[in-house]
């Protein structure tokens, strides 16, 4: 396969996955903002959303103060924000158009219709009238795109590059979400961002027999962890797997180490590795080795070991390793990326 074709397929899938991830985070933040909370807590939630995508500085230069409406506009329809839903869907469509002959008719029509319908929804003000329904639509279109790809495309190199792009992007997003959200709880309760102290209210302190925090802390704790789980469609999965109250160490275990959780780091890297193996060439051995090493670390890792060394440090290192794998994939298969 031509490297340019592989590049378009890889980035088409990444941008579609990124649009869905952005919609998920915005939806959870919007739903959480409807709950009783202080103005400062609400503002911190929107700031955290910008932090996940490393857009805090760009937003501050262009919009100034953080408000729900300004963040929604910036993350949904701002054409100058490369990570907005608009920019991602447009980029996904343009990459699909460039390799139209490689895709099935159903895959192309899904991408094209998604972009056209999104433009209509923005012009009609659908995202302002009912943000929750609009975000559900974005998620549905992403699910449809993946389903049509799996259901209609020959499982050749083109298919594998689409899957690599999807799951590499998903791994990156899940790690960023965990890092920022756990950081927010640590700062909220203890005023310090380093690591994760499992003695926070509702966490390991209760399992050790300590008294739980006050009613406000317990309530905040529940809604916060629930929001994290719902943002990756894992709330019902958590209940099924653990059958217990929501505890932060279990949330971390589910979203990092569980290979049967579709959006966990372990599941994403397993998919990246298996599809990367199918397209391996003579110069990709180092990239394949790095992906295999990361998969092994997740496969045999233990959550108590991760938390004892600091969740923030672990996730920062994970993001660096995923970035290195991404650079390796670009070098080995795709159009070279300029420094």
């Amino acid at each position: 396969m031509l490297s340019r074709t592989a590049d378009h397929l890889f980035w088409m899938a990444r941008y579609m996955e990124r649009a869905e991830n952005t919609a998920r985070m915005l939806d959870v933040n919007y739903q959480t903002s409807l709950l009783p909370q202080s103005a400062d807590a609400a503002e911190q939630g929107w700031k955290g959303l910008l932090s996940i995508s490393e857009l805090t500085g760009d937003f501050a230069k262009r919009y100034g103060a953080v408000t729900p409406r300004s963040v929604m506009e910036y993350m949904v329809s701002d054409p100058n924000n490369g990570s907005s839903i608009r920019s991602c869907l447009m980029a996904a469509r343009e990459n699909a158009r460039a390799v139209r002959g490689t895709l099935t008719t159903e895959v192309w029509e899904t991408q094209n219709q998604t972009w056209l319908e999104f433009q209509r929804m923005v012009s009609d003000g659908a995202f302002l009238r009912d943000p929750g329904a609009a975000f559900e639509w974005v998620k549905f279109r992403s699910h449809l795109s993946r389903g049509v790809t799996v259901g209609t495309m020959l499982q050749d190199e083109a298919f594998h590059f689409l899957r690599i792009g999807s799951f590499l992007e998903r791994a990156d997003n899940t790690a960023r979400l965990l890092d920022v959200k756990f950081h927010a709880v640590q700062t909220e309760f203890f005023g310090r961002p380093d690591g994760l102290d499992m003695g926070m209210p509702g966490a390991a302190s209760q399992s050790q027999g300590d008294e739980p925090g006050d009613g406000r802390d317990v309530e905040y704790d529940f809604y916060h962890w629930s929001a994290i789980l719902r943002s990756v469609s894992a709330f019902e999965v958590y209940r099924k797997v653990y059958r217990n109250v929501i505890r932060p160490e279990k949330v971390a275990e589910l979203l990092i180490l569980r290979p049967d959780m579709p959006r966990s780091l372990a599941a994403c890297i397993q998919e990246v590795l298996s599809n990367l193996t199918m397209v391996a060439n003579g110069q990709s051995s180092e990239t394949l080795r790095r992906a295999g090493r990361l998969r092994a670390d997740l496969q045999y890792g233990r959550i108590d070991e991760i938390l004892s060394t600091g969740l923030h440090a672990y996730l920062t290192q994970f993001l660096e390793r995923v970035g290195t794998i991404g650079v390796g994939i670009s070098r080995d298969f795709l159009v070279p990326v300029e420094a």
Side-chain angles (χ1 to χ4, degrees):
M1 176 180 287
L2 293 175
S3 62
R4 187 168 296 279
T5 301
D7 187 73
H8 285 302
L9 292 166
F10 175 81
W11 283 105
M12 169 193 140
R14 285 202 74 159
Y15 279 120
M16 198 67 197
E17 182 71 27
R18 191 173 300 177
E20 178 190 345
N21 292 331
T22 301
R24 285 177 175 277
M25 293 185 292
L26 282 167
D27 188 32
V28 169
N29 233 58
Y30 171 72
Q31 301 295 342
T32 304
S33 70
L34 302 179
L35 299 171
Q37 59 182 318
S38 67
D40 182 63
E43 182 180 346
Q44 289 304 315
W46 293 107
K47 286 182 176 179
L49 192 148
L50 294 169
S51 178
I52 289 173
S53 303
E54 299 184 0
L55 295 169
T56 304
D58 183 63
F59 176 88
K61 286 189 293 186
R62 297 176 48 214
Y63 286 82
V66 173
T67 65
R69 186 183 182 90
S70 63
V71 174
M72 293 271 275
E73 178 184 344
Y74 179 68
M75 296 298 293
V76 170
S77 58
D78 191 335
N80 297 313
N81 172 16
S83 294
S84 69
I85 295 176
R86 179 190 187 279
S87 295
C88 289
L89 293 182
M90 183 176 70
R93 190 259 185 189
E94 289 303 304
N95 278 284
R97 185 176 63 83
V99 288
R100 171 69 184 84
T102 306
L103 306 174
T104 61
T105 299
E106 290 90 341
V107 173
W108 160 247
E109 289 181 348
T110 299
Q111 293 290 337
N112 191 46
Q113 186 61 35
T114 298
W115 169 239
L116 296 175
E117 184 68 11
F118 175 82
Q119 288 181 298
R120 184 194 64 76
M121 292 175 68
V122 170
S123 62
D124 289 351
F127 279 89
L128 295 178
R129 287 196 309 273
D130 191 351
F135 295 139
E136 284 297 325
W137 177 87
V138 174
K139 290 191 285 182
F140 171 77
R141 296 303 297 188
S142 180
H143 297 327
L144 182 61
S145 176
R146 279 195 303 276
V148 169
T149 299
V150 173
T152 67
M153 283 194 66
L154 181 68
Q155 295 190 13
D156 57 2
E157 287 185 327
F159 176 84
H160 295 307
F161 279 112
L162 287 169
R163 300 289 283 179
I164 291 169
S166 291
F167 287 100
L168 198 66
E169 181 67 30
R170 185 179 295 182
D172 181 272
N173 178 80
T174 299
R176 290 178 186 276
L177 176 73
L178 275 171
D179 193 21
V180 171
K181 293 299 186 181
F182 274 68
H183 176 282
V185 167
Q186 188 74 354
T187 303
E188 173 76 13
F189 284 110
F190 302 106
R192 55 188 176 83
D194 54 312
L196 173 65
D197 186 340
M198 300 315 296
M200 66 177 64
S205 60
Q206 291 188 32
S207 66
Q208 295 169 357
D210 296 343
E211 290 298 320
D214 60 35
R216 181 262 177 198
D217 288 346
V218 172
E219 182 180 9
Y220 176 88
D221 213 19
F222 173 79
Y223 284 120
H224 184 88
W225 301 120
S226 297
I228 293 175
L229 291 170
R230 291 184 191 281
S231 69
V232 290
S233 298
F235 184 78
E236 291 84 359
V237 173
Y238 182 95
R239 293 298 196 190
K240 184 176 182 179
V241 171
Y242 296 106
R243 303 178 183 276
N244 204 339
V245 296
I246 299 176
R247 294 167 52 184
E249 70 271 25
K250 294 301 184 184
V251 173
E253 180 181 60
L254 180 69
L255 299 185
I256 295 174
L257 299 178
R258 292 282 307 200
D260 50 356
M261 169 59 204
R263 305 188 78 85
S264 73
L265 304 186
C268 292
I269 297 303
Q270 173 57 47
E271 285 287 343
V272 170
L273 178 62
S274 61
N275 284 280
L276 196 56
T277 301
M278 298 300 293
V279 297
N281 59 28
Q283 62 186 36
S284 64
S285 59
E286 177 60 18
T287 302
L288 198 61
R289 185 192 71 81
R290 289 179 181 273
R293 175 70 179 273
L294 181 54
R295 194 280 303 269
D297 289 346
L298 289 164
Q299 182 178 358
Y300 297 105
R302 291 175 49 184
I303 195 62
D304 56 336
E305 295 175 346
I306 292 173
L307 296 176
S308 67
T309 58
L311 187 64
H312 175 67
Y314 177 86
L315 292 173
T316 298
Q317 184 185 59
F318 176 86
L319 286 168
E320 290 174 353
R321 295 173 74 178
V322 166
T324 300
I325 292 171
V327 171
I329 291 171
S330 177
R331 179 190 64 239
D332 300 337
F333 304 103
L334 313 180
V335 176
V337 178
E338 294 183 5

PDB file of all heavy atoms in Angstrom, residues 197-209:
ATOM      1  N   ASP A 197      -3.620   9.893  46.205  1.00  0.00           N
ATOM      2  CA  ASP A 197      -3.682   9.403  47.569  1.00  0.00           C
ATOM      3  C   ASP A 197      -4.973   8.618  47.727  1.00  0.00           C
ATOM      4  O   ASP A 197      -6.058   9.176  47.678  1.00  0.00           O
ATOM      5  CB  ASP A 197      -3.667  10.593  48.540  1.00  0.00           C
ATOM      6  CG  ASP A 197      -3.578  10.140  49.984  1.00  0.00           C
ATOM      7  OD1 ASP A 197      -3.905   8.974  50.255  1.00  0.00           O
ATOM      8  OD2 ASP A 197      -3.191  10.964  50.829  1.00  0.00           O
ATOM      9  N   MET A 198      -4.859   7.338  47.931  1.00  0.00           N
ATOM     10  CA  MET A 198      -6.047   6.518  47.998  1.00  0.00           C
ATOM     11  C   MET A 198      -6.783   6.680  49.323  1.00  0.00           C
ATOM     12  O   MET A 198      -7.727   5.980  49.614  1.00  0.00           O
ATOM     13  CB  MET A 198      -5.692   5.044  47.777  1.00  0.00           C
ATOM     14  CG  MET A 198      -5.058   4.803  46.427  1.00  0.00           C
ATOM     15  SD  MET A 198      -5.893   5.620  45.064  1.00  0.00           S
ATOM     16  CE  MET A 198      -7.460   4.790  45.094  1.00  0.00           C
ATOM     17  N   GLY A 199      -6.380   7.627  50.136  1.00  0.00           N
ATOM     18  CA  GLY A 199      -7.088   7.893  51.376  1.00  0.00           C
ATOM     19  C   GLY A 199      -8.156   8.932  51.236  1.00  0.00           C
ATOM     20  O   GLY A 199      -8.668   9.436  52.217  1.00  0.00           O
ATOM     21  N   MET A 200      -8.531   9.311  49.995  1.00  0.00           N
ATOM     22  CA  MET A 200      -9.559  10.318  49.803  1.00  0.00           C
ATOM     23  C   MET A 200     -10.910   9.768  50.226  1.00  0.00           C
ATOM     24  O   MET A 200     -11.114   8.571  50.294  1.00  0.00           O
ATOM     25  CB  MET A 200      -9.614  10.771  48.348  1.00  0.00           C
ATOM     26  CG  MET A 200     -10.057   9.708  47.385  1.00  0.00           C
ATOM     27  SD  MET A 200     -10.179  10.339  45.709  1.00  0.00           S
ATOM     28  CE  MET A 200      -8.490  10.754  45.381  1.00  0.00           C
ATOM     29  N   PRO A 201     -11.873  10.643  50.536  1.00  0.00           N
ATOM     30  CA  PRO A 201     -13.182  10.185  50.962  1.00  0.00           C
ATOM     31  C   PRO A 201     -13.793   9.253  49.938  1.00  0.00           C
ATOM     32  O   PRO A 201     -13.771   9.494  48.747  1.00  0.00           O
ATOM     33  CB  PRO A 201     -13.988  11.492  51.064  1.00  0.00           C
ATOM     34  CG  PRO A 201     -12.963  12.543  51.298  1.00  0.00           C
ATOM     35  CD  PRO A 201     -11.755  12.093  50.541  1.00  0.00           C
ATOM     36  N   GLY A 202     -14.350   8.144  50.433  1.00  0.00           N
ATOM     37  CA  GLY A 202     -15.024   7.201  49.568  1.00  0.00           C
ATOM     38  C   GLY A 202     -14.086   6.212  48.911  1.00  0.00           C
ATOM     39  O   GLY A 202     -14.519   5.347  48.178  1.00  0.00           O
ATOM     40  N   ALA A 203     -12.770   6.337  49.186  1.00  0.00           N
ATOM     41  CA  ALA A 203     -11.828   5.443  48.533  1.00  0.00           C
ATOM     42  C   ALA A 203     -11.301   4.435  49.526  1.00  0.00           C
ATOM     43  O   ALA A 203     -12.004   3.881  50.330  1.00  0.00           O
ATOM     44  CB  ALA A 203     -10.701   6.252  47.903  1.00  0.00           C
ATOM     45  N   ALA A 204      -9.970   4.209  49.491  1.00  0.00           N
ATOM     46  CA  ALA A 204      -9.396   3.153  50.306  1.00  0.00           C
ATOM     47  C   ALA A 204      -9.518   3.436  51.794  1.00  0.00           C
ATOM     48  O   ALA A 204      -9.483   2.531  52.603  1.00  0.00           O
ATOM     49  CB  ALA A 204      -7.935   2.946  49.934  1.00  0.00           C
ATOM     50  N   SER A 205      -9.638   4.707  52.178  1.00  0.00           N
ATOM     51  CA  SER A 205      -9.749   5.025  53.587  1.00  0.00           C
ATOM     52  C   SER A 205     -10.934   4.313  54.203  1.00  0.00           C
ATOM     53  O   SER A 205     -10.885   3.841  55.334  1.00  0.00           O
ATOM     54  CB  SER A 205      -9.889   6.541  53.782  1.00  0.00           C
ATOM     55  OG  SER A 205     -11.048   7.021  53.125  1.00  0.00           O
ATOM     56  N   GLN A 206     -12.044   4.202  53.453  1.00  0.00           N
ATOM     57  CA  GLN A 206     -13.201   3.521  53.973  1.00  0.00           C
ATOM     58  C   GLN A 206     -12.959   2.022  54.038  1.00  0.00           C
ATOM     59  O   GLN A 206     -13.402   1.349  54.952  1.00  0.00           O
ATOM     60  CB  GLN A 206     -14.419   3.816  53.084  1.00  0.00           C
ATOM     61  CG  GLN A 206     -14.877   5.265  53.197  1.00  0.00           C
ATOM     62  CD  GLN A 206     -16.184   5.489  52.470  1.00  0.00           C
ATOM     63  OE1 GLN A 206     -17.013   4.606  52.389  1.00  0.00           O
ATOM     64  NE2 GLN A 206     -16.352   6.683  51.940  1.00  0.00           N
ATOM     65  N   SER A 207     -12.248   1.508  53.043  1.00  0.00           N
ATOM     66  CA  SER A 207     -11.993   0.073  53.042  1.00  0.00           C
ATOM     67  C   SER A 207     -11.091  -0.320  54.198  1.00  0.00           C
ATOM     68  O   SER A 207     -11.054  -1.470  54.607  1.00  0.00           O
ATOM     69  CB  SER A 207     -11.349  -0.340  51.726  1.00  0.00           C
ATOM     70  OG  SER A 207     -10.065   0.216  51.600  1.00  0.00           O
ATOM     71  N   GLN A 208     -10.362   0.635  54.764  1.00  0.00           N
ATOM     72  CA  GLN A 208      -9.483   0.359  55.886  1.00  0.00           C
ATOM     73  C   GLN A 208     -10.187   0.595  57.214  1.00  0.00           C
ATOM     74  O   GLN A 208      -9.581   0.533  58.276  1.00  0.00           O
ATOM     75  CB  GLN A 208      -8.246   1.247  55.802  1.00  0.00           C
ATOM     76  CG  GLN A 208      -7.387   0.937  54.581  1.00  0.00           C
ATOM     77  CD  GLN A 208      -6.316   1.981  54.351  1.00  0.00           C
ATOM     78  OE1 GLN A 208      -6.248   2.964  55.071  1.00  0.00           O
ATOM     79  NE2 GLN A 208      -5.497   1.768  53.344  1.00  0.00           N
ATOM     80  N   GLY A 209     -11.490   0.927  57.137  1.00  0.00           N
ATOM     81  CA  GLY A 209     -12.242   1.061  58.359  1.00  0.00           C
ATOM     82  C   GLY A 209     -12.357   2.467  58.871  1.00  0.00           C
ATOM     83  O   GLY A 209     -12.922   2.687  59.943  1.00  0.00           O
TER      84      GLY A 209
END
